[in-house]
Amino acid sequence: VKTRIKEFRARYGYTQEELARRAGVRRETIVFLEKGAYNPSLRLAHNVATILHATIEDLFIFTDEPEPQEGGG
Amino acid sequence: MRLIAMDTRNAVRIILGVIFLLGGFAYLFIEQPFPVVPPVLITAGLVYIFVGISRHRRAREGPEQDERTKRVAVLGMAYSWRVSLLLIAVLFWIDYFGIYRLKGYEAFGLATIVLAFTAIGFQQYFARHGDPGWPG
């Protein structure tokens, strides 16, 4: 999963901490979300999308391609 | 430094810790039919106080738990249970074939320690990964 959370967050001037506080999660969860390293629940995805005045489809881009392995070339 | 109200659970942890700690020290000054009690009470008290304070400090960074940390906790326990089950099976066969005759308290003690430490280990491992996935 690729995300555009960072881009939308910057658009509204939110820090990761501020977004986390509004979404009711820990900051690390936002960090992993932005990296596309965490698949959130539908509720969290909806919450984040609402805070960033976007839709889930705007924020999360699902690809069918297998994700590259860490450390792979 | 930003001060925040203390969560009731953390306050209870700290109060329990102080009670255990004082109880442990008080026990030192009375007749001791069970000498193991003071160190157990003092250790438990220190652990409760430490956990209460550290969780209160972490609360400044956001909620103590969210959906990811809950998943990490559950997965850590699940993997820990698997490892411990394997260990208990190995211990059974070791005892069955007479390689080493385990006493009851040794088996229980070992299983308890392995359960606790592998749970912590797995949880720390999964916490460093974004999406820990589910055990297959």
Side-chain angles (χ1 to χ4, degrees), chain B residues 57-69:
Chain B
R57 289 172 67 92
R58 282 190 68 194
R60 291 196 194 111
E61 300 161 14
E64 196 173 299
Q65 285 189 316
D66 63 15
E67 61 173 49
R68 195 181 67 84
T69 59

Side-chain angles (χ1 to χ4, degrees), chain A residues 17 20 25-28, chain B residues 2 4 57-63:
Chain A
E17 196 172 16
V25 295
R26 295 186 61 78
R27 194 182 66 84
E28 305 93 81
Chain B
R2 188 161 65 97
I4 60 164
R57 289 172 67 92
R58 282 190 68 194
R60 291 196 194 111
E61 300 161 14

